[in-house]
Amino acid sequence: MAEITLVEAVNQALAHELAADPRVILFGQDIGANGGVFRATDGLQKRFGDERVRDTPLAENMIAGIAVGMAVQGLRPVAEFQFMGFIYPGLDHILSHAARYRNRTRGRLSCPVVYRAPYGGGIHAPEHHSENTEAIFAHIPGLRVVVPSSPARAYGLLLAAIRDPDPVVFLEPKRIYRAVRQEVPDGGEALPLDRCFRLRDGSDVTLVAWGAALKETLEAAEALSAEGIEAEVIDPATLKPLDIHTIIDSLEKTGRCVVIHEAARFAGLGAEITAQINEYAFDLLKAPVQRVTGYDTVMPYYRLEDCYLPDGERILAAVRKTLDYPAGGDR
Amino acid sequence: MHKPRLHPVASFDINFLQYLDERGQATQALPDSATPDLLQSLYRQMNLARLVDQRAVQLQRTGRLGTYPSSLGQEAIGVGVGSAMQADDVYCPYYRETGALLERGVEIEEILAIWGGDERGQDYQHAPEDLPLCVPIATQLLHAAGVAFALQYKQRQMGESARVAVTCAGDGATSKGDFYEALNLAGVWKLPVVFVINNNQWAISVSRGAQSASRTIAQKAIAAGIQGLQVDGNDVIAVRTAVADAIELARGGEGPALIEAVTYRLCDHTTADDASRYCPPEQLEQARTREPLLRLGTYLREQGFWDDGAESEMQREQAEVMERALQAYHARPAESPTAMFDHLYGTLPEAFLEQYEELQYLRARDRQESG
């Protein structure tokens, strides 16, 4: 079986669901003949026709809004935004409507839509192309926020997102769209939503990260291992609703936790994870939870983006800080 | 000074439709559909809408309903639109729609429940596919475009019957990007959707003139390449005919239309508003003479289709209907507090179970303490 990249896995999942379910409709800007600016929809219009894989006029608010109308009529719309930074005009529809239809109508109408957007920095893109604002969506009741971090999880989680009866914001870490190749059987098997994935076992410290940041996180875990420090690495994958129990279970073993994300720190998901750990597992902690995040600044143009994004050095420093806590004291 | 020679590349007309003038006189032969039976029924429905509005405002004033947006003076639009639709078309309303909701089969008790703070009001028993009332401005126009796509898609790909989405918004909504985006997409994709703009001259306190420099709202259709028509929004025959014609064209694959219904809001924006702060009293007085019930009532009486006996019979019947609805509204058992979790997701994710149980526990304790 051929090995495929994360973006090819997205394409494979979309093709699978288009073939399996006539209610599935793809639409967005440039997704047709062009196959999407990242080629996530490459070849799909040719294969499934332009009624099912449609280019829209250029209006993100419109894309978000018509998806709601399609979904409440029983279709399974999958809307593509070219970059997460362009999704903001559609927030009104995603937050005020997609997230609330089921509740507003007491279950009479639901909104099974998937909003897909490439997200994150690190590809030397212009301003507004490198956003990491998953916390905006995670804060909203009624939404699911899913971030895959490997080709297999992109395939399995996207299938699950399309089949889910509720709205899902599916954020694709574009920095790792083509970073690794993996065999991903096209068997139509979904991965569970609302569950963390344990990517690495360890007993000394728990590292929680998602999306592209897992690349540096896993590398850091390997570096630590060489020093005899075993890090457990957890990918929440579904950021909302968050499976905190898997993280707490890990803390039972390690007692130490570092959360790594590319988004700005203030009110980012690291804050929520830290708060839940404090609520549920304060007694397990041997050290305060550390966060390694983007800074509370505007994401800089690309000459400075490497300074903004968490790197291995910052992750290792945070791990050492938890291991050395209290500084100079007992370990 | 050099004046360049210009060649017109496009020019357009915007038409206006009216059957009954302000004095209730026919300005042209009425359409065949305007039988005495139909006109009487439209008159009754407009009267019922007015009655529901009136009682809802009274309930609000006595603390038994939340903020309520009356549609006093614009009953012809709601009733005209609602009566023009087929049962299985899909209605995508904004929030000032009592007349249309009643036509769609939404129960008075449900309308009161919505504004009385009970989400179950939007679980329409008799209009299962219609969208709930939309409070953010103009967003429903895009939902309607999406619904229309779905209806078209299900017709073409799944062999379902031809159906149409109908959506309404106020004149203020035409300033929003959603309005232009919905019209634009509907034109490009030739969607079976009819946009009805209820031009009641006010977006809360901002006048129509301060909303847009455009001569008509109907002409905004031109830029989107779709049909635009202005109708007398106080003439229920004109509204119903224009909307019914547009629906049938859309059903036949002829694409979308924009209909501007010109009327006047004879009431406050909502019960939380005081229109006397901005609405010139002489303008309001003028508008009262043009209102839709008076107009159709005059016509019906002059044609011998209505009289004092029919009027008092209708008032008595509708008072009873209203009374039953009020009793049902007051007798509604409270919804379980946990309902706010029950409909959050299809299945409540584990992550919320603790909050759900906390709410359940606290409410059970409250009940024990108060019992």
Side-chain angles (χ1 to χ4, degrees):
Chain A
M1 189 189 303
E3 295 189 331
I4 59 174
T5 62
L6 196 156
V7 70
E8 287 164 348
V10 167
N11 183 282
Q12 181 172 297
L14 293 172
H16 189 277
E17 287 308 275
L18 279 164
D21 186 347
R23 300 171 302 170
V24 174
I25 304 290
L26 270 49
F27 56 96
Q29 285 155 218
D30 303 309
I31 73 158
N34 196 34
V37 290
F38 289 100
R39 305 290 173 260
T41 55
D42 197 23
L44 298 181
Q45 188 180 63
K46 207 166 182 185
R47 185 168 158 203
F48 295 98
D50 64 2
E51 189 122 28
R52 301 195 64 200
V53 182
R54 306 206 122 198
D55 280 320
T56 62
L58 200 168
E60 289 85 0
N61 175 62
M62 177 273 290
I63 293 172
I66 61 169
V68 172
M70 293 179 189
V72 297
Q73 260 298 317
L75 298 186
R76 296 284 173 148
V78 181
E80 176 174 310
F81 297 86
Q82 273 181 354
F83 290 89
M84 192 185 193
F86 301 160
I87 209 171
Y88 305 135
L91 285 182
D92 193 10
H93 288 280
I94 302 172
L95 275 51
S96 305
H97 295 294
R100 299 165 74 139
Y101 248 97
R102 180 185 292 282
N103 186 65
R104 179 180 292 147
T105 62
R106 281 300 184 255
R108 178 169 63 88
L109 300 174
S110 65
C111 209
V113 52
V114 178
Y115 293 112
R116 289 180 46 237
Y119 104 124
I123 64 155
H124 289 200
E127 194 180 6
H128 303 295
H129 288 63
S130 304
E131 311 296 294
N132 289 286
T133 45
E134 63 268 30
I136 292 177
F137 298 99
H139 185 64
I140 302 303
L143 292 182
R144 273 193 167 75
V145 182
V146 177
V147 179
S149 61
S150 71
R153 282 190 293 283
Y155 177 79
L157 291 170
L158 184 51
L159 291 185
I162 296 172
R163 295 170 191 174
D164 193 80
D166 295 304
V168 178
V169 177
F170 194 84
L171 301 173
E172 297 162 11
K174 59 182 179 287
R175 180 156 66 90
I176 57 167
Y177 256 160
R178 295 180 171 85
V180 291
R181 290 184 168 273
Q182 198 179 8
E183 279 191 7
V184 183
D186 191 12
E189 268 180 55
L191 286 170
L193 300 174
D194 310 351
R195 285 277 174 276
C196 289
F197 295 89
R198 199 189 313 260
L199 305 187
R200 196 177 185 289
D201 289 330
S203 53
D204 298 320
V205 60
T206 302
L207 306 181
V208 180
W210 50 92
L214 270 164
K215 185 169 178 287
E216 289 74 29
T217 302
L218 287 164
E219 286 164 6
E222 287 306 311
L224 289 166
S225 184
E227 298 175 21
I229 299 163
E230 293 305 327
E232 183 138 304
V233 177
I234 292 179
D235 172 10
T238 303
L239 303 181
K240 167 80 173 282
L242 178 70
D243 165 21
I244 195 68
H245 299 296
T246 299
I247 296 170
I248 303 286
D249 286 350
S250 176
L251 274 166
E252 301 244 6
K253 285 191 290 182
T254 64
R256 295 183 170 87
C257 184
V258 178
V259 185
I260 301 109
H261 60 64
E262 293 189 7
R265 188 170 310 166
F266 187 87
L269 264 294
E272 175 65 30
I273 292 170
T274 306
Q276 291 202 27
I277 290 171
N278 283 340
E279 283 176 17
Y280 296 113
F282 186 73
D283 291 347
L284 298 177
L285 290 179
K286 296 174 190 159
V289 176
Q290 294 295 310
R291 287 183 284 168
V292 182
T293 68
Y295 296 108
D296 286 327
T297 64
V298 175
M299 177 83 188
Y301 286 11
Y302 68 79
R303 290 195 185 215
L304 288 181
E305 74 181 348
D306 286 346
C307 303
Y308 172 94
L309 296 172
D311 58 13
E313 209 174 309
R314 282 165 67 191
I315 297 169
L316 291 174
V319 169
R320 296 213 164 89
K321 202 170 168 188
T322 67
L323 292 169
D324 290 345
Y325 183 87
D330 293 334
R331 282 261 308 268
Chain B
M1 194 179 97
H2 170 69
K3 285 185 88 176
R5 192 156 29 139
L6 301 173
H7 301 276
V9 289
S11 60
F12 305 95
D13 290 319
I14 293 300
N15 293 312
F16 178 76
L17 179 68
Q18 183 195 57
Y19 289 101
L20 291 186
D21 70 11
E22 296 172 31
R23 293 164 299 124
Q25 306 298 308
T27 54
Q28 59 174 313
L30 300 196
D32 293 343
S33 58
T35 61
D37 275 359
L38 175 80
L39 297 184
Q40 287 166 352
S41 133
L42 295 174
Y43 181 75
R44 284 197 187 90
Q45 284 293 92
M46 290 198 292
N47 197 72
L48 182 62
R50 186 166 291 188
L51 180 64
V52 171
D53 275 348
Q54 200 183 8
R55 288 293 150 78
V57 171
Q58 284 170 358
L59 286 177
Q60 191 279 332
R61 298 290 185 233
T62 52
R64 290 174 293 173
L65 198 82
T67 302
Y68 182 82
S70 171
S71 51
L72 181 67
Q74 13 187 111
E75 294 88 351
I77 300 175
V79 170
V81 169
S83 72
M85 294 177 66
Q86 301 292 324
D88 68 351
D89 290 333
V90 178
Y91 187 48
C92 310
Y94 76 133
Y95 51 83
R96 194 186 302 285
E97 295 288 359
T98 305
L101 294 188
L102 293 172
E103 283 284 345
R104 296 296 295 162
V106 177
E107 293 181 352
I108 298 171
E109 185 196 333
E110 290 174 324
I111 297 172
L112 296 177
I114 296 166
W115 301 104
D118 181 348
E119 273 98 339
R120 288 173 300 179
Q122 309 229 60
D123 183 12
Y124 305 149
Q125 296 301 303
H126 306 294
E129 291 183 70
D130 283 1
L131 303 198
L133 298 188
C134 188
V135 173
I137 302 305
T139 50
Q140 75 280 5
L141 302 174
L142 280 170
H143 303 164
V147 166
F149 173 85
L151 298 175
Q152 186 185 60
Y153 179 85
K154 290 195 284 187
Q155 184 195 357
R156 286 186 192 163
Q157 303 271 329
M158 301 173 178
E160 293 190 8
S161 62
R163 299 162 68 194
V164 176
V166 179
T167 184
C168 288
D171 42 295
T174 66
S175 295
K176 292 257 299 191
D178 293 68
F179 169 76
Y180 293 99
E181 291 173 12
L183 257 58
N184 184 56
L185 182 80
V188 177
W189 286 5
K190 225 175 173 188
L191 297 175
V193 54
V194 177
F195 301 98
V196 181
I197 299 303
N198 179 333
N199 175 4
N200 70 14
Q201 313 304 326
W202 296 103
I204 305 190
S205 69
V206 177
S207 67
R208 160 66 180 86
Q211 202 68 239
S212 171
S214 186
R215 168 80 180 78
T216 68
I217 288 173
Q219 75 199 56
K220 292 174 187 263
I222 304 304
I226 72 174
Q227 292 298 312
L229 176 70
Q230 192 181 63
V231 302
D232 187 330
N234 294 323
D235 172 3
V236 70
I237 307 171
V239 175
R240 186 179 192 277
T241 305
V243 174
D245 288 352
I247 288 175
E248 286 327 300
L249 284 173
R251 200 186 307 286
E254 298 296 314
L258 171 68
I259 294 169
E260 173 192 5
V262 183
T263 183
Y264 198 95
R265 200 185 77 208
L266 295 179
C267 49
D268 298 332
H269 162 66
T270 66
T271 49
D273 175 46
D274 173 11
S276 70
R277 291 167 63 88
Y278 53 83
C279 177
E282 58 283 0
Q283 212 180 82
L284 190 62
E285 275 320 300
Q286 252 295 310
R288 280 192 218 283
T289 66
R290 299 194 293 266
E291 64 103 337
L293 264 161
L294 188 64
R295 182 177 306 197
L296 182 59
T298 305
Y299 177 81
L300 287 174
R301 282 171 190 264
E302 286 184 3
Q303 296 298 310
F305 301 146
W306 200 254
D307 56 22
D308 289 350
E311 180 74 21
S312 57
E313 177 66 11
M314 174 189 75
Q315 298 294 357
R316 191 186 57 74
E317 277 173 15
Q318 292 189 347
E320 279 178 23
V321 167
M322 192 68 223
E323 189 50 41
R324 280 198 297 275
L326 285 169
Q327 280 172 10
Y329 171 66
H330 291 311
R332 259 175 115 75
E335 193 175 23
S336 158
T338 52
M340 67 176 94
F341 282 101
D342 291 342
H343 304 290
L344 191 57
Y345 296 89
T347 307
L348 189 67
E350 263 182 50
F352 302 105
L353 282 177
E354 191 181 309
Q355 294 179 39
Y356 179 89
E357 281 160 10
E358 174 188 310
L359 176 63
Q360 238 179 357
Y361 166 77
L362 290 175
R363 299 307 296 190
R365 199 187 57 184
D366 288 352
R367 274 197 301 276
Q368 246 173 9
E369 281 175 5
S370 65

